[in-house]
């Protein structure tokens, strides 16, 4: 709820976006570890005089916020998860500044992966991966906390074991029913942890990083099924629901999950002409990949006791 200012309802926040920071840790065995984070900060604070009277005495300068990111990164002498870094930042802003009531920290991690040379992990070499790890932490001065993590750009494809039948048909429907098609998508997933206070956060090092890796593994295993036989998908909707249910079934510390899974089409290619009725005959082998337009499917699944 906002404040009443001069007869109007007034809400405000200020922050700093796209603060890019990279942190390198050097192990005793000579192995290096690197993270690259894109940090956004938003503070809710009692600084109405800045808006109404031009009095900046309660403003936390956004340049100070940027500098704080680098200072806190330097203070992290041990490798830590992106979520723990965000929690630390949020805790700093709400405790250090009396007028700050809530801090919202969003971070997107660039996917640097260790390079392998001759099947051996390189000590200090990395290559850029694909999907990105995300988090949003909201912390209040009272100690109340909300942690949401996720993955973006998780591109998945299977060349069989997918179909689409029994949908509504009307005069505008030309899509044929099929039990054999390619299924491709780019998953965006976000899950909210059940922790509701700063004091309830696990102290285990890299706890959130491990959960992120394990959630992604469950999503992949549910989408693809067993290595040899796979698993049939009657629709993107059905597969999405199974993926969400598998995550909640596996992780009791996750209270809800949202999935967005566009249906990225691979269209069967059949080419013919009057002179040659069969230039290319489609036999589940030649496709036209296209992502415009594509179907959009999304849903969320929450435990009944969840406050999300």
């Amino acid at each position: 709820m906002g404040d009443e200012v001069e007869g109007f309802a007034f809400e405000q926040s200020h922050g700093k976006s796209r603060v890019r920071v990279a942190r390198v840790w050097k192990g005793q065995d000579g192995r290096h570890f690197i993270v690259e984070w894109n940090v956004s900060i938003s503070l809710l604070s009692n600084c109405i005089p800045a808006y109404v009277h031009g009095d900046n005495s309660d403003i936390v300068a956004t340049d100070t916020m940027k500098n704080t990111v680098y200072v806190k990164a330097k203070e992290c002498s041990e490798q830590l998860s992106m979520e723990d870094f965000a929690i630390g930042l949020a805790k700093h802003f709400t405790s250090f500044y009396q007028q700050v009531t809530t801090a919202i920290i969003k971070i997107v991690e660039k996917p640097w992966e260790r390079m392998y040379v001759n099947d051996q992990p390189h000590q200090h070499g990395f290559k850029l991966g694909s999907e990105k790890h995300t988090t949003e932490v909201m912390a209040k001065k009272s100690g109340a906390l909300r942690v949401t993590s996720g993955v973006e750009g998780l591109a998945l494809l299977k060349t069989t074991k997918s179909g689409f039948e029994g949908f509504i048909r009307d005069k505008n429907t030309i899509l044929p029913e099929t039990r054999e098609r390619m299924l491709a998508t780019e998953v965006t997933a976000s899950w909210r942890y059940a922790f509701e206070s700063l004091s309830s956060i696990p102290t285990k090092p890299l706890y959130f990083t491990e959960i992120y890796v394990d959630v992604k593994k469950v999503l992949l295993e549910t989408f693809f099924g067993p290595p040899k036989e796979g698993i049939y998908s009657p629709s993107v909707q059905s597969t999405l629901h199974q993926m969400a249910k598998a995550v909640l079934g596996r992780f009791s510390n996750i209270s809800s999950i949202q999935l967005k899974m566009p249906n990225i089409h691979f269209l069967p290619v059949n080419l013919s002409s009057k002179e040659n009725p069969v230039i290319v005959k489609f036999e589940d082998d030649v496709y036209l990949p296209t992502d415009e337009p594509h179907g959009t499917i999304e849903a969320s699944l929450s435990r009944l006791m969840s406050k999300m």
Side-chain angles (χ1 to χ4, degrees), residues 5-264:
V5 176
E6 299 175 339
F8 299 96
F10 181 66
E11 296 183 12
Q12 54 78 30
S13 66
H14 73 291
K16 199 75 164 180
S17 296
R18 299 184 180 183
V19 182
R20 295 179 61 182
V21 57
R23 182 60 159 99
V24 175
W25 292 278
K26 303 172 183 178
Q28 294 182 350
D29 60 354
R31 179 177 290 196
H32 290 195
F33 301 87
I34 184 172
V35 292
E36 181 180 342
W37 294 329
N38 191 323
V39 182
S40 295
I41 302 163
S42 181
L43 301 184
L44 281 64
S45 63
N46 298 321
C47 58
I48 292 176
Y51 293 88
V52 180
H53 304 299
D55 177 359
N56 297 331
S57 57
D58 286 330
I59 289 286
V60 180
T62 65
D63 188 69
T64 302
M65 298 181 202
K66 176 203 69 177
N67 295 341
T68 301
V69 171
Y70 298 117
V71 170
K72 293 300 179 182
K74 178 66 176 179
E75 291 177 357
C76 297
S77 58
E78 300 291 334
Q79 190 179 0
L80 82 167
S81 70
M82 182 171 68
E83 287 85 352
D84 282 324
F85 184 72
I87 291 168
L89 276 179
K91 185 177 179 180
H92 166 80
F93 287 118
T94 54
S95 61
F96 189 78
Y97 299 102
Q98 181 180 358
Q99 65 272 39
V100 174
T101 58
T102 303
I104 302 171
I105 311 296
K106 298 180 181 180
I107 305 180
V108 178
E109 182 171 292
K110 205 164 187 176
W112 289 109
E113 300 173 351
R114 188 169 301 280
M115 187 68 187
Y116 279 72
V117 177
N118 296 327
D119 297 325
Q120 297 295 316
H122 201 283
Q123 290 287 78
H124 53 264
F126 300 85
K127 65 181 179 68
L128 191 60
S130 53
E131 68 271 7
K132 296 178 180 179
H133 182 182
T134 64
T135 194
E136 177 180 309
V137 170
M138 175 185 286
K140 297 187 176 183
K141 191 178 290 292
S142 64
L145 182 73
R146 185 179 71 194
V147 179
T148 303
S149 293
V151 61
E152 294 179 353
L154 181 60
L156 307 178
L157 179 152
K158 60 182 185 180
T159 55
T160 188
K161 293 283 184 173
S162 174
F164 191 49
E165 301 176 287
F167 50 87
I168 294 173
R169 304 198 70 87
D170 57 37
K171 64 180 182 179
N172 296 324
T173 304
I174 61 173
L175 183 70
E177 298 191 1
T178 181
R179 288 189 61 83
E180 179 57 47
R181 67 171 182 171
M182 193 178 294
L183 178 57
T185 189
E186 188 172 286
V187 178
T188 298
S190 61
W191 51 91
R192 179 175 170 182
Y193 288 95
F195 315 117
E196 295 184 348
S197 66
L198 288 166
S199 60
S200 64
I201 294 298
T203 58
K204 180 182 177 182
L206 298 176
Y207 170 84
F208 289 103
T209 301
E210 291 180 6
I211 296 294
Y212 169 74
V213 171
D214 289 342
V215 168
K216 196 165 62 169
K217 181 180 179 182
V218 169
L219 292 173
L220 295 176
E221 290 176 347
T222 309
F223 180 88
F224 291 110
K228 291 188 180 295
E229 61 270 27
I231 187 171
Y232 181 72
S233 170
S235 66
V236 178
Q237 287 87 342
S238 175
T239 296
L240 181 154
H241 177 252
Q242 292 301 319
M243 292 165 70
K245 190 168 68 170
V247 170
L248 293 187
R250 171 67 175 79
F251 303 97
S252 60
N253 53 2
I254 292 178
S255 60
S256 61
I257 182 169
Q258 181 181 51
L259 287 168
K260 298 180 181 179
M261 292 175 54
N263 189 7
I264 300 174

